[in-house]
Amino acid sequence: MIVQQKRTWLLALSTLALTAIIVCIWYIQPHKVTADTPCPSDWAQSSSREVRDRCAEQKQLVSVQHDQQELVEKARQPYVQRWPGFTPQKLQKPTGTDVSPHEIPLQNVAGGPAAMRYATSVWQIDYVTNRDQTAWSPLDIVASGGEGNGQVTLQTVLLNRFTSDMSQYEHLWTCPQDIGAITITSVAGLNGVLTFKSSSGQHGSFNMALEKWDFIP
């Protein structure tokens, strides 16, 4: 009986001691600080070490959150290469015989933009520039489709779209008639008239400015 009572008392004392240890550990361990935890304006002069430590940690947390937010905002912005003291200069249009309209052999466009992969004919129209005239790119017109490969189309393609505003030069026109694959025979420059012949023997023209197809009977 006495032995049983001793065991009961020992178990009770052990439980109380363990509970006291857990409470002490929970009380003295640092609690998670958030940026919303209120701190007095004079926390640095507070007589409470807990307040000073907590508020110092909060200040560091706010600083880290601010830096992270700045990084997120910068990551959302488009990348622009900048050099100290550098001001983009306007560039003159390239000159030479390769600037005027001319035919481009199909074997030379195999590694070009995706629109050229199934081309039946490619001509360079001209060089075009961006709004600030700080970059120039060749502008090609590509004929594709026909003969079981979908509708015949004409598409203007930039080799280099340096800035988003240059997309104004890119267009896609679908031929209203099934005339077979077409081959461009001449181009009269930017927004000019091009002539073509088709695998079915059809001849015609397309006015890029008016977006108008004409077929010769």
Side-chain angles (χ1 to χ4, degrees):
M1 183 69 176
I2 296 176
V3 173
Q4 182 65 30
Q5 289 179 344
K6 286 183 178 180
R7 288 179 179 177
T8 301
W9 277 105
L10 287 174
L11 181 60
L13 290 174
S14 299
T15 302
L16 289 173
L18 181 60
T19 302
I21 292 172
I22 293 174
V23 170
C24 290
I25 292 175
W26 179 87
Y27 181 78
I28 64 175
Q29 71 177 353
H31 299 288
K32 183 178 179 180
V33 176
T34 67
D36 296 328
T37 305
C39 280
S41 57
D42 59 345
W43 61 268
Q45 287 77 41
S46 174
S47 59
S48 170
R49 180 175 180 179
E50 187 275 333
V51 171
R52 295 196 304 272
D53 291 346
R54 174 171 58 81
C55 292
E57 186 176 350
Q58 175 183 310
K59 183 178 180 181
Q60 176 64 21
L61 177 60
V62 171
S63 177
V64 170
Q65 290 177 340
H66 182 267
D67 292 343
Q68 289 176 341
Q69 185 62 33
E70 283 190 344
L71 291 175
V72 170
E73 294 300 326
K74 287 182 179 179
R76 291 174 179 171
Q77 298 175 1
Y79 174 76
V80 178
Q81 181 67 57
R82 291 184 175 89
W83 294 272
F86 174 75
T87 301
Q89 301 295 317
K90 288 187 176 182
L91 301 176
Q92 296 298 317
K93 181 179 179 179
T95 59
T97 56
D98 62 339
V99 176
S100 58
H102 62 274
E103 185 176 10
I104 301 177
L106 293 180
Q107 61 265 27
N108 293 354
V109 301
M116 296 184 175
R117 293 175 186 170
Y118 304 102
T120 58
S121 182
V122 179
W123 275 61
Q124 179 178 297
I125 302 174
D126 202 346
Y127 270 69
V128 293
T129 184
N130 60 352
R131 184 180 297 109
D132 298 329
Q133 200 177 321
T134 56
W136 291 83
S137 170
L139 179 67
D140 296 341
I141 186 158
V142 180
S144 59
E147 294 188 331
N149 294 313
Q151 291 179 295
V152 173
T153 61
L154 290 171
Q155 182 174 1
T156 50
V157 178
L158 285 167
L159 290 190
N160 300 288
R161 189 195 297 177
F162 293 103
T163 53
S164 59
D165 61 290
M166 296 182 75
S167 62
Q168 64 178 304
Y169 301 108
E170 296 179 310
H171 303 281
L172 175 65
W173 301 285
T174 301
C175 181
Q177 296 184 19
D178 183 10
I179 59 175
I182 66 175
T183 300
I184 301 170
T185 54
S186 70
V187 178
L190 188 65
N191 295 323
V193 176
L194 66 82
T195 59
F196 61 83
K197 62 181 180 180
S198 76
S199 57
S200 66
Q202 177 71 59
H203 289 70
S205 63
F206 179 73
N207 188 314
M208 288 181 278
L210 302 178
E211 300 184 320
K212 184 176 183 295
W213 297 82
D214 285 310
F215 302 97
I216 300 174

